[in-house]
Amino acid sequence: NFLKSENKFKSIYVEKNEINFWIFLKATFFSIATFQFLRLSDIYFYQFFKKLNPDVLISNEVNGVIFRYKKFFPQKKTIMYQTVNWINLWKPTMKNFYNIHNTNLKFETDYFCLIHKKYLPFYKFLKTKFIETGSIKNNSFQLKTKKKKFDLGFVSIFDERTQSYYGTNNNPSVMSLQAAASSFITKIIKKIYEKNRKLKIVLLTRSNREDKNINKKKELEFFHRDFKHFKVIKGNNLEIVNQCKMILVHDSSFAFDLISRKKKFLYIEPYNFFNKSLISTFTQKKEGLFWYNGNNEKKIINKINYLLKLKEDKWLKNFNNSKFNIIFDVKNKKLNNLITSLIKK
């Protein structure tokens, strides 16, 4: 819940698939009694929010709730926040993406919280006022300084559809691009480890995330097929990051959380010929201090070793010179102040 603050407003969190039985009965009765050609889901939606009657409705950009809400309650105040780190490859299909759940083609919300102003061109079709806040989810986590237990961490983007090929990951033709790239990077980690077996390397598992329903056993089996020396611990992955000297990331928005916190990391995109690097929204350069779009194994190993040896003060100096900056708004002060101002009106 990112609304943890000193503000005194009351907040209610509604699960995506949550159904109120009594409101559902009322909606069903209304649907039968009025003979109106409205979808039962629309009647339920209207009755639910009429009963809830929030001063401000807040939702992410993915589920389409706010667009639908504005159709029924155009005068109510709404705030939408960005969760997807878009790339130019997806720009032509943006409206199609939002149409999946949307029944209001006006694409309207009062306010939209952007991770970074670089994403503004992706949202030209929205009728809204934009506010640059950084990641709402990332802003809600405060981390205490901890002693570094691990030299290297690797962020998993495991997909359960990935199958074993006779106990290996050596048939990329039957793997997703993400799985093949993860296996490619893991094999590189193995080579680095074989040169220095004192390295402590931790896997930031996707199964650690409460919002993902990932089978931990299958996830570990996938990575252990390429490298058997990953340390694995339970907990919030941001907390685990705080225990690492540096992090490796592939095709994960986690990279932008690390940028906002100025954590040492390397983003690797081996399949950049598809123009699918998440970093490409910020720069078209193939490589820089903390990213590499390519699959030159020697170059990746050299960049990892360089960053492992780079002292923290040098990292921060070089990072600040790179002019990459994403807002880290501790406790979402901007969002909470906006909510407070809207409630007082």
Side-chain angles (χ1 to χ4, degrees):
N1 185 350
F2 52 78
L3 292 177
K4 294 175 181 177
S5 73
E6 292 76 28
N7 293 316
K8 295 182 179 179
F9 53 76
K10 181 181 179 182
S11 63
I12 297 174
Y13 178 76
V14 181
E15 289 283 353
K16 180 180 177 181
N17 297 316
E18 180 180 331
I19 298 291
N20 182 292
F21 178 73
W22 297 110
I23 295 178
F24 177 76
L25 280 181
K26 183 178 180 180
T28 304
F29 175 78
F30 183 87
S31 176
I32 296 171
T34 59
F35 297 100
Q36 292 187 17
F37 294 100
L38 293 173
R39 295 189 306 178
L40 177 59
S41 61
D42 283 337
I43 298 171
Y44 174 84
F45 186 92
Y46 173 79
Q47 294 293 340
F48 178 83
F49 282 105
K50 183 181 178 183
K51 177 71 174 178
L52 193 61
N53 191 29
D55 291 311
V56 181
L57 180 65
I58 307 167
S59 184
N60 65 55
E61 63 179 325
V62 175
N63 58 35
V65 166
I66 283 182
F67 298 136
R68 195 177 183 187
Y69 180 76
K70 274 293 190 181
K71 178 180 179 180
F72 296 107
F73 307 97
Q75 303 305 317
K76 287 287 189 176
K77 297 300 181 183
T78 57
I79 303 172
M80 185 179 286
Y81 60 95
Q82 181 185 352
T83 56
V84 180
N85 294 93
W86 300 99
I87 57 177
N88 289 327
L89 195 64
W90 301 333
K91 194 179 289 186
T93 55
M94 288 281 289
K95 279 192 176 183
N96 302 74
F97 174 83
Y98 284 114
N99 273 336
I100 293 174
H101 304 292
N102 184 30
T103 58
N104 181 8
L105 299 182
K106 290 183 179 179
F107 299 106
E108 182 180 359
T109 180
D110 294 285
Y111 297 91
F112 189 97
C113 297
L114 279 171
I115 291 175
H116 192 279
K117 60 185 178 183
K118 285 279 189 180
Y119 293 104
L120 265 173
F122 292 88
Y123 298 105
K124 284 184 176 180
F125 59 91
L126 293 186
K127 184 180 178 182
T128 189
K129 181 177 180 180
F130 291 102
I131 303 172
E132 191 177 356
T133 59
S135 166
I136 297 300
K137 182 178 178 181
N138 179 52
N139 292 342
S140 66
F141 291 104
Q142 285 185 285
L143 303 177
K144 295 180 180 179
T145 303
K146 290 187 178 181
K147 185 179 179 181
K148 306 299 182 187
K149 294 182 180 179
F150 307 104
D151 298 289
L152 187 64
F154 182 34
V155 179
S156 165
I157 51 170
F158 173 71
D159 185 331
E160 287 190 17
R161 292 172 295 180
T162 304
Q163 300 297 317
S164 165
Y165 181 72
Y166 301 109
T168 74
N169 292 326
N170 295 339
N171 189 2
S173 62
V174 297
M175 300 166 72
S176 69
L177 286 178
Q178 286 183 327
S182 292
S183 177
F184 171 74
I185 295 168
T186 304
K187 288 180 173 73
I188 288 175
I189 291 172
K190 180 181 179 181
K191 290 183 179 181
I192 292 172
Y193 178 79
E194 287 175 345
K195 292 286 183 69
N196 183 3
R197 290 183 173 268
K198 292 182 179 180
L199 288 175
K200 294 180 180 178
I201 306 172
V202 64
L203 182 67
L204 283 72
T205 61
R206 208 174 183 201
S207 51
N208 267 347
R209 292 178 55 178
E210 293 181 358
D211 60 329
K212 304 291 181 184
N213 187 21
I214 300 294
N215 185 300
K216 187 171 186 175
K217 182 181 178 182
K218 289 183 179 179
E219 183 177 23
L220 294 182
E221 284 175 352
F222 168 77
F223 284 100
H224 286 163
R225 289 197 286 268
D226 290 318
F227 180 59
K228 299 185 185 300
H229 298 282
F230 277 119
K231 307 290 184 183
V232 180
I233 58 177
K234 293 181 180 180
N236 183 299
N237 280 341
L238 273 174
E239 293 285 357
I240 299 172
V241 162
N242 221 24
Q243 301 174 52
C244 299
K245 292 180 181 178
M246 75 164 285
I247 302 292
L248 293 181
V249 184
H250 162 67
D251 206 21
S252 171
S253 59
F254 210 73
F256 301 96
D257 297 342
L258 300 177
I259 290 173
S260 72
R261 294 171 182 267
K262 300 185 179 182
K263 296 290 184 181
K264 193 197 299 184
F265 79 102
L266 179 64
Y267 179 94
I268 306 170
E269 180 46 77
Y271 295 109
N272 191 51
F273 49 83
F274 285 114
N275 195 28
K276 65 184 290 290
S277 170
L278 296 180
I279 299 293
S280 65
T281 305
F282 289 76
T283 178
Q284 291 300 308
K285 290 183 179 179
K286 185 178 179 180
E287 62 180 298
L289 174 66
F290 52 83
W291 75 94
Y292 174 62
N293 298 327
N295 49 34
N296 185 310
E297 190 175 293
K298 185 178 179 180
K299 185 166 283 190
I300 293 172
I301 290 173
N302 287 341
K303 288 185 80 71
I304 292 172
N305 285 330
Y306 168 75
L307 288 172
L308 279 172
K309 294 174 183 177
L310 189 65
K311 292 183 179 180
E312 190 67 18
D313 58 340
K314 289 284 188 181
W315 157 260
L316 289 173
K317 182 180 179 180
N318 292 343
F319 177 86
N320 290 331
N321 288 337
S322 73
K323 297 181 180 179
F324 269 76
N325 183 40
I326 293 176
I327 292 172
F328 179 45
D329 182 28
V330 180
K331 293 186 178 181
N332 284 306
K333 292 178 182 177
K334 284 188 175 182
L335 174 61
N336 283 293
N337 288 339
L338 174 60
I339 295 168
T340 302
S341 68
L342 292 174
I343 290 175
K344 288 180 178 178
K345 286 182 179 179

